[in-house]
Coordinates of all heavy atoms in Angstrom, one line a residue:
Q1 N 146.9 179.8 64.8 CA 147.2 179.4 63.4 C 145.9 178.8 62.8 O 145.2 178.1 63.5 CB 148.3 178.2 63.3 CG 149.7 178.7 63.8 CD 150.3 179.8 63.1 OE1 149.8 180.3 62.1 NE2 151.3 180.4 63.6
M2 N 145.6 179.3 61.7 CA 144.3 178.8 61.0 C 144.4 177.6 60.1 O 143.4 177.1 59.6 CB 143.7 180.0 60.2 CG 143.4 181.3 61.1 SD 142.8 182.6 60.2 CE 141.5 181.9 59.3
G3 N 145.6 177.0 60.0 CA 145.7 175.9 59.1 C 145.6 176.1 57.6 O 145.3 175.3 56.9
L4 N 145.8 177.4 57.2 CA 145.7 177.7 55.8 C 147.0 177.3 55.1 O 148.1 177.5 55.6 CB 145.5 179.2 55.6 CG 144.3 179.7 56.1 CD1 144.2 181.3 55.9 CD2 143.1 179.2 55.6
D5 N 146.9 176.7 53.9 CA 148.1 176.2 53.2 C 148.6 177.3 52.2 O 148.0 178.5 52.2 CB 147.9 175.0 52.4 CG 146.8 175.0 51.4 OD1 146.6 176.1 50.8 OD2 146.1 173.9 51.2
D6 N 149.6 177.1 51.5 CA 150.2 178.0 50.5 C 149.2 178.6 49.5 O 149.6 179.5 48.8 CB 151.4 177.5 49.9 CG 152.5 177.1 50.9 OD1 152.4 177.8 52.0 OD2 153.5 176.4 50.5
R7 N 148.1 178.0 49.2 CA 147.1 178.6 48.3 C 146.5 179.8 48.7 O 146.0 180.6 47.9 CB 146.0 177.5 48.0 CG 146.6 176.3 47.3 CD 145.5 175.3 47.1 NE 145.0 174.9 48.4 CZ 143.9 174.2 48.7 NH1 143.2 173.9 47.7 NH2 143.6 173.8 49.8
Y8 N 146.6 180.2 50.1 CA 146.0 181.3 50.5 C 147.0 182.4 50.9 O 148.2 182.1 51.4 CB 145.3 181.0 51.9 CG 144.1 180.1 51.7 CD1 144.2 178.7 51.8 CD2 142.8 180.6 51.5 CE1 143.2 177.8 51.5 CE2 141.8 179.8 51.3 CZ 142.0 178.4 51.3 OH 140.9 177.7 51.2
W9 N 146.7 183.5 50.6 CA 147.5 184.8 50.8 C 147.5 185.1 52.2 O 146.5 185.2 52.9 CB 147.0 185.9 49.9 CG 147.8 187.3 50.3 CD1 149.0 187.5 50.4 CD2 147.0 188.5 50.5 NE1 149.2 188.8 50.7 CE2 148.0 189.4 50.8 CE3 145.8 188.9 50.5 CZ2 147.8 190.7 51.1 CZ3 145.4 190.2 50.7 CH2 146.4 191.2 50.9
L10 N 148.6 185.1 52.8 CA 148.8 185.5 54.3 C 149.3 187.0 54.3 O 150.5 187.2 54.0 CB 149.6 184.6 55.1 CG 149.8 185.0 56.6 CD1 148.4 184.9 57.2 CD2 150.7 184.0 57.3
P11 N 148.4 188.0 54.5 CA 148.9 189.4 54.5 C 150.0 189.6 55.4 O 150.0 189.1 56.5 CB 147.6 190.2 54.9 CG 146.5 189.3 54.6 CD 147.0 187.9 54.9
R12 N 150.9 190.5 55.1 CA 152.0 190.9 55.9 C 151.5 191.9 56.9 O 150.4 192.5 56.7 CB 153.2 191.6 55.1 CG 153.7 190.8 53.9 CD 154.5 191.6 53.0 NE 153.5 192.5 52.4 CZ 153.8 193.6 51.8 NH1 155.2 193.9 51.5 NH2 153.0 194.4 51.3
P13 N 152.1 192.1 58.0 CA 151.6 193.2 58.9 C 151.4 194.5 58.3 O 150.4 195.2 58.5 CB 152.8 193.2 60.0 CG 153.2 191.8 60.0 CD 153.3 191.4 58.6
V14 N 152.2 194.9 57.3 CA 152.2 196.3 56.7 C 150.9 196.3 55.8 O 150.4 197.4 55.4 CB 153.4 196.7 56.0 CG1 154.6 196.9 56.9 CG2 153.8 195.7 54.9
D15 N 150.4 195.2 55.3 CA 149.2 195.1 54.5 C 148.0 195.6 55.3 O 147.1 196.1 54.6 CB 149.0 193.7 53.9 CG 150.0 193.2 52.9 OD1 150.6 194.2 52.1 OD2 150.3 192.1 52.8
Y16 N 148.0 195.4 56.5 CA 146.9 196.0 57.3 C 146.9 197.5 57.4 O 145.8 198.1 57.4 CB 146.9 195.3 58.8 CG 146.6 193.8 58.6 CD1 147.5 192.9 58.6 CD2 145.2 193.4 58.6 CE1 147.3 191.6 58.5 CE2 144.9 192.1 58.5 CZ 145.9 191.2 58.4 OH 145.7 189.8 58.3
Y17 N 148.1 198.1 57.4 CA 148.1 199.6 57.2 C 147.7 199.9 55.8 O 146.9 200.9 55.7 CB 149.7 200.1 57.3 CG 150.1 200.0 58.8 CD1 151.1 199.1 59.1 CD2 149.5 200.7 59.7 CE1 151.6 198.9 60.5 CE2 150.0 200.7 61.0 CZ 151.0 199.7 61.4 OH 151.4 199.7 62.7
R18 N 148.1 199.2 54.8 CA 147.5 199.4 53.4 C 146.1 199.4 53.3 O 145.4 200.1 52.7 CB 148.2 198.6 52.4 CG 149.6 198.8 52.3 CD 150.4 197.7 51.3 NE 149.9 197.8 50.1 CZ 149.7 196.7 49.3 NH1 150.0 195.5 49.8 NH2 149.1 196.8 48.1
F19 N 145.5 198.4 54.0 CA 144.0 198.1 54.1 C 143.4 199.5 54.6 O 142.4 199.9 54.0 CB 143.7 197.0 54.9 CG 142.2 196.7 55.1 CD1 141.6 196.0 54.2 CD2 141.5 197.3 56.2 CE1 140.1 195.7 54.3 CE2 140.2 197.0 56.3 CZ 139.5 196.3 55.4
V20 N 143.8 199.9 55.8 CA 143.4 201.1 56.3 C 143.4 202.3 55.4 O 142.4 203.0 55.2 CB 143.9 201.4 57.7 CG1 143.4 202.7 58.4 CG2 143.5 200.2 58.7
L21 N 144.5 202.4 54.9 CA 144.8 203.6 54.1 C 144.0 203.7 52.7 O 144.0 204.7 52.0 CB 146.4 203.8 53.9 CG 147.1 204.3 55.1 CD1 148.6 204.1 54.9 CD2 146.8 205.6 55.6
A22 N 143.5 202.5 52.4 CA 142.8 202.3 51.1 C 141.4 203.0 51.2 O 140.8 203.4 50.1 CB 142.6 200.9 50.7
H23 N 141.0 203.4 52.3 CA 139.7 204.0 52.5 C 139.9 205.5 52.5 O 140.6 206.1 53.3 CB 139.1 203.5 53.8 CG 138.8 202.0 53.9 ND1 137.7 201.5 53.3 CD2 139.6 200.9 54.3 CE1 137.8 200.2 53.4 NE2 138.9 199.9 54.0
P24 N 139.1 206.2 51.6 CA 139.3 207.6 51.5 C 139.0 208.5 52.7 O 139.4 209.6 52.8 CB 138.3 207.9 50.3 CG 137.4 206.8 50.1 CD 138.1 205.6 50.7
G25 N 138.1 208.0 53.6 CA 137.8 208.7 54.7 C 138.9 208.7 55.9 O 138.9 209.4 56.9
I26 N 139.9 208.0 55.7 CA 141.1 207.9 56.6 C 142.2 208.8 56.1 O 142.7 208.7 55.0 CB 141.6 206.4 56.6 CG1 140.5 205.5 57.1 CG2 142.8 206.3 57.6 CD1 139.9 205.7 58.5
D27 N 142.6 209.7 57.0 CA 143.7 210.7 56.6 C 145.0 210.2 57.1 O 146.0 210.6 56.5 CB 143.4 212.1 57.2 CG 142.2 212.7 56.7 OD1 141.9 212.5 55.4 OD2 141.5 213.4 57.4
G28 N 145.1 209.3 58.0 CA 146.4 208.8 58.4 C 146.3 207.7 59.5 O 145.1 207.5 59.9
V29 N 147.3 207.1 59.9 CA 147.3 206.2 60.9 C 148.4 206.3 61.9 O 149.5 206.9 61.6 CB 147.4 204.7 60.4 CG1 146.2 204.3 59.5 CG2 148.7 204.5 59.6
L30 N 148.3 205.9 63.2 CA 149.3 206.0 64.1 C 149.9 204.6 64.1 O 149.3 203.5 64.1 CB 148.8 206.2 65.5 CG 148.1 207.6 65.7 CD1 147.4 207.8 67.1 CD2 149.2 208.6 65.5
C31 N 151.2 204.6 64.1 CA 151.9 203.3 64.1 C 153.2 203.5 65.0 O 153.6 204.5 65.3 CB 152.3 202.9 62.7 SG 153.5 204.0 61.9
S32 N 153.7 202.4 65.4 CA 154.8 202.4 66.4 C 155.8 201.3 66.0 O 155.8 200.3 66.7 CB 154.4 202.3 67.9 OG 155.5 202.4 68.8
P33 N 156.5 201.4 65.0 CA 157.5 200.4 64.6 C 158.5 200.2 65.7 O 159.0 201.1 66.4 CB 158.2 200.9 63.3 CG 157.8 202.3 63.2 CD 156.6 202.6 64.1
A34 N 158.8 198.9 66.0 CA 159.7 198.5 67.1 C 161.1 198.5 66.7 O 162.1 198.7 67.6 CB 159.3 197.3 67.8
T35 N 161.4 198.4 65.4 CA 162.7 198.4 64.9 C 162.9 199.1 63.6 O 161.9 199.5 63.0 CB 163.1 196.8 64.5 OG1 162.2 196.4 63.4 CG2 162.9 195.8 65.7
V36 N 164.0 199.4 63.2 CA 164.4 200.1 62.0 C 163.8 199.3 60.8 O 163.3 199.9 59.9 CB 165.8 200.3 61.9 CG1 166.2 200.9 60.4 CG2 166.3 201.3 62.9
R37 N 163.9 197.9 60.8 CA 163.4 197.1 59.8 C 161.9 197.3 59.6 O 161.4 197.4 58.5 CB 163.8 195.6 60.0 CG 163.3 194.8 59.0 CD 163.7 193.3 59.2 NE 163.1 192.5 58.1 CZ 162.8 191.2 58.3 NH1 162.9 190.7 59.4 NH2 162.2 190.7 57.3
E38 N 161.2 197.3 60.7 CA 159.7 197.5 60.7 C 159.3 198.8 60.1 O 158.5 198.9 59.3 CB 159.2 197.3 62.1 CG 159.1 196.0 62.6 CD 158.4 195.9 64.0 OE1 158.0 196.9 64.5 OE2 158.5 194.9 64.5
L39 N 160.2 199.9 60.4 CA 160.0 201.2 59.7 C 160.2 201.2 58.2 O 159.4 201.7 57.5 CB 160.9 202.3 60.5 CG 160.7 203.6 59.9 CD1 159.3 204.3 60.0 CD2 161.8 204.6 60.6
Q40 N 161.3 200.6 57.9 CA 161.5 200.5 56.5 C 160.5 199.6 55.7 O 160.1 200.0 54.6 CB 162.9 199.8 56.3 CG 164.1 200.6 56.7 CD 165.4 199.8 56.9 OE1 165.4 198.6 57.0 NE2 166.5 200.6 56.7
E41 N 160.0 198.6 56.3 CA 158.9 197.8 55.6 C 157.6 198.8 55.5 O 157.0 198.7 54.5 CB 158.6 196.6 56.5 CG 159.7 195.6 56.4 CD 159.5 194.3 57.3 OE1 158.5 194.4 58.1 OE2 160.2 193.4 57.3
F42 N 157.4 199.5 56.6 CA 156.2 200.4 56.4 C 156.4 201.4 55.4 O 155.4 201.6 54.6 CB 156.0 201.0 57.9 CG 154.8 202.0 57.8 CD1 153.6 201.5 57.9 CD2 155.0 203.3 57.9 CE1 152.5 202.3 57.8 CE2 153.9 204.2 57.9 CZ 152.6 203.7 57.9
I43 N 157.5 202.0 55.3 CA 157.8 202.9 54.2 C 157.7 202.4 52.9 O 157.0 203.0 51.9 CB 159.1 203.6 54.4 CG1 159.1 204.5 55.8 CG2 159.6 204.5 53.2 CD1 160.5 205.1 56.2
S44 N 158.3 201.2 52.7 CA 158.1 200.5 51.5 C 156.7 200.2 51.1 O 156.3 200.3 49.9 CB 158.9 199.2 51.4 OG 160.3 199.5 51.6
A45 N 155.9 199.7 52.1 CA 154.5 199.5 51.8 C 153.7 200.7 51.3 O 152.8 200.6 50.4 CB 153.8 199.0 53.0
L46 N 154.1 201.9 51.7 CA 153.4 203.1 51.3 C 153.6 203.4 49.8 O 152.8 204.0 49.1 CB 153.9 204.3 52.1 CG 153.5 204.3 53.6 CD1 154.1 205.4 54.3 CD2 152.0 204.3 53.8
A47 N 154.8 202.8 49.3 CA 155.1 203.0 47.9 C 154.4 202.0 46.9 O 154.3 202.2 45.8 CB 156.6 203.0 47.7
E48 N 153.8 201.0 47.5 CA 153.1 199.9 46.8 C 151.7 200.5 46.4 O 151.1 201.3 46.8 CB 152.8 198.7 47.6 CG 154.2 197.9 48.1 CD 154.0 196.7 48.9 OE1 152.9 196.1 48.7 OE2 155.0 196.4 49.7
R49 N 151.2 199.7 45.3 CA 149.8 200.1 44.7 C 148.8 199.9 45.9 O 149.0 199.1 46.8 CB 149.5 199.2 43.6 CG 149.4 197.8 44.0 CD 148.8 196.9 42.8 NE 148.8 195.6 43.3 CZ 148.0 194.9 44.2 NH1 147.3 195.7 45.0 NH2 148.1 193.7 44.4
P50 N 147.7 200.5 45.8 CA 146.6 200.4 46.7 C 146.2 198.9 46.6 O 146.2 198.3 45.6 CB 145.6 201.4 46.4 CG 146.3 202.4 45.5 CD 147.4 201.7 44.9
L51 N 145.5 198.3 47.7 CA 144.9 197.1 47.6 C 143.8 197.1 46.7 O 143.0 198.1 46.7 CB 144.5 196.7 49.1 CG 145.6 196.4 50.1 CD1 145.0 196.2 51.5 CD2 146.5 195.2 49.7
T52 N 143.6 196.0 46.1 CA 142.3 195.9 45.2 C 141.1 195.7 46.1 O 141.2 195.3 47.3 CB 142.4 194.7 44.2 OG1 142.5 193.5 44.9 CG2 143.7 194.9 43.4
Q53 N 139.9 195.9 45.6 CA 138.7 195.6 46.4 C 138.7 194.1 46.7 O 138.3 193.7 47.8 CB 137.4 195.9 45.6 CG 136.2 195.8 46.4 CD 136.2 196.7 47.7 OE1 136.4 197.9 47.5 NE2 135.9 196.1 48.8
Q54 N 139.2 193.2 45.8 CA 139.2 191.8 46.1 C 140.1 191.5 47.3 O 139.8 190.6 48.1 CB 139.6 191.0 44.9 CG 139.6 189.6 45.0 CD 140.0 188.8 43.7 OE1 140.3 189.4 42.8 NE2 140.0 187.5 43.8
E55 N 141.3 192.2 47.3 CA 142.2 191.9 48.4 C 141.7 192.4 49.7 O 141.7 191.8 50.8 CB 143.5 192.6 48.1 CG 144.3 192.1 47.0 CD 145.5 192.8 46.6 OE1 145.4 194.1 46.5 OE2 146.6 192.3 46.1
Q56 N 140.9 193.6 49.6 CA 140.4 194.1 50.9 C 139.2 193.2 51.4 O 139.1 192.9 52.6 CB 139.7 195.5 50.7 CG 140.7 196.5 50.4 CD 140.1 197.9 50.0 OE1 139.2 198.4 50.8 NE2 140.6 198.5 49.0
D57 N 138.4 192.6 50.5 CA 137.3 191.7 50.9 C 137.9 190.4 51.5 O 137.4 189.9 52.5 CB 136.5 191.3 49.7 CG 135.6 192.5 49.2 OD1 135.4 193.5 49.9 OD2 135.2 192.4 48.0
Y58 N 139.1 189.9 50.9 CA 139.7 188.8 51.4 C 140.2 189.0 52.9 O 140.1 188.2 53.7 CB 140.9 188.4 50.5 CG 141.7 187.2 51.1 CD1 141.2 185.9 50.9 CD2 142.9 187.5 51.6 CE1 142.0 184.9 51.4 CE2 143.6 186.5 52.1 CZ 143.2 185.1 52.1 OH 143.9 184.1 52.6
M59 N 140.8 190.2 53.1 CA 141.3 190.4 54.4 C 140.1 190.5 55.4 O 140.3 190.1 56.5 CB 142.1 191.7 54.4 CG 143.5 191.6 53.6 SD 144.4 193.1 53.5 CE 145.1 193.2 55.2
I60 N 139.0 191.0 55.0 CA 137.9 191.1 55.8 C 137.4 189.7 56.2 O 137.2 189.2 57.3 CB 136.7 191.9 55.2 CG1 137.2 193.4 55.2 CG2 135.4 191.7 56.1 CD1 136.2 194.3 54.4
W61 N 137.4 188.8 55.1 CA 137.1 187.4 55.3 C 138.0 186.7 56.3 O 137.6 186.0 57.2 CB 137.0 186.6 54.0 CG 136.9 185.2 54.2 CD1 135.7 184.5 54.5 CD2 137.8 184.3 54.2 NE1 135.9 183.2 54.5 CE2 137.3 183.0 54.5 CE3 139.2 184.3 54.0 CZ2 138.0 181.8 54.5 CZ3 140.0 183.1 54.2 CH2 139.4 181.9 54.4
L62 N 139.3 186.9 56.0 CA 140.3 186.2 56.8 C 140.2 186.7 58.3 O 140.2 185.9 59.2 CB 141.7 186.7 56.4 CG 142.9 186.0 56.9 CD1 142.8 184.5 56.6 CD2 144.2 186.4 56.3
S63 N 139.9 188.0 58.5 CA 139.7 188.5 59.9 C 138.5 187.8 60.6 O 138.5 187.6 61.8 CB 139.7 189.9 60.0 OG 141.0 190.6 59.6
S64 N 137.5 187.8 59.8 CA 136.2 187.2 60.4 C 136.3 185.7 60.7 O 135.8 185.3 61.6 CB 134.9 187.6 59.4 OG 135.2 186.7 58.2
A65 N 137.1 185.0 59.9 CA 137.3 183.7 60.1 C 138.3 183.4 61.4 O 138.1 182.5 62.2 CB 138.0 183.0 58.9
A66 N 139.3 184.3 61.6 CA 140.1 184.3 62.7 C 139.5 184.7 64.0 O 139.8 184.1 65.1 CB 141.4 185.0 62.4
T67 N 138.7 185.6 63.9 CA 138.0 186.2 65.2 C 136.5 186.5 64.9 O 136.0 187.5 64.9 CB 138.6 187.6 65.5 OG1 138.5 188.5 64.4 CG2 140.2 187.4 65.9
P68 N 135.7 185.3 64.8 CA 134.3 185.4 64.5 C 133.5 186.3 65.5 O 132.5 186.8 65.2 CB 133.8 184.0 64.4 CG 134.9 183.2 65.1 CD 136.2 184.0 65.0
K69 N 133.9 186.2 66.7 CA 133.2 186.9 67.7 C 132.9 188.5 67.5 O 132.0 189.0 67.9 CB 133.7 186.7 69.2 CG 135.0 187.3 69.5 CD 135.4 187.0 70.9 CE 136.8 187.6 71.2 NZ 137.2 187.4 72.5
Y70 N 134.0 188.9 66.8 CA 133.9 190.4 66.5 C 133.0 190.7 65.3 O 132.7 191.9 65.0 CB 135.3 190.9 66.2 CG 136.1 190.9 67.5 CD1 137.2 190.1 67.5 CD2 135.9 191.7 68.6 CE1 138.0 190.0 68.7 CE2 136.6 191.6 69.7 CZ 137.7 190.8 69.8 OH 138.4 190.8 70.9
F71 N 132.6 189.7 64.5 CA 131.8 189.9 63.3 C 130.4 189.4 63.4 O 129.5 189.3 62.5 CB 132.5 189.1 62.2 CG 133.8 189.9 61.8 CD1 135.0 189.5 62.3 CD2 133.8 190.8 60.8 CE1 136.1 190.1 62.1 CE2 135.0 191.5 60.6 CZ 136.2 191.1 61.2
E72 N 130.0 188.9 64.6 CA 128.7 188.4 64.9 C 127.6 189.5 64.9 O 128.0 190.6 65.4 CB 128.5 187.7 66.3 CG 129.5 186.3 66.2 CD 129.5 185.7 67.5 OE1 129.0 186.2 68.6 OE2 130.0 184.5 67.5
A73 N 126.5 189.3 64.5 CA 125.5 190.3 64.4 C 124.8 190.6 65.7 O 124.7 189.7 66.5 CB 124.4 190.0 63.3

């Protein structure tokens, strides 16, 4: 847990699929939903608008804050 309060957007698991699919060089993703509900959430996420650049940048920031060792130069 990062200790972020309600002012911060906490992306849903399906938002990470949306993040990947927002890049034009990506044709598809492999996923393995464990339940029917997860599959339904994934299908619903595909119908949502693409992430904005600001949302993508925030997700990169959030990931770098959570796992800094992967973002070190």
Side-chain angles (χ1 to χ4, degrees):
Q1 302 297 352
M2 295 177 58
L4 299 177
D5 61 29
D6 291 342
R7 293 176 295 167
Y8 293 89
W9 171 48
L10 183 59
R12 305 164 298 168
V14 294
D15 291 325
Y16 292 93
Y17 291 112
R18 292 175 62 217
F19 176 87
V20 171
L21 291 170
H23 297 277
I26 303 295
D27 293 328
V29 295
L30 295 175
C31 64
S32 181
T35 65
V36 171
R37 180 176 178 214
E38 287 180 4
L39 177 61
Q40 291 168 335
E41 289 173 354
F42 180 71
I43 291 168
S44 294
L46 293 176
E48 294 180 28
R49 64 162 175 72
L51 293 172
T52 65
Q53 186 61 52
Q54 183 179 4
E55 290 168 328
Q56 292 178 49
D57 292 344
Y58 174 79
M59 290 179 74
I60 293 169
W61 171 82
L62 189 62
S63 294
S64 67
T67 56
K69 68 180 180 180
Y70 296 111
F71 292 87
E72 294 172 353

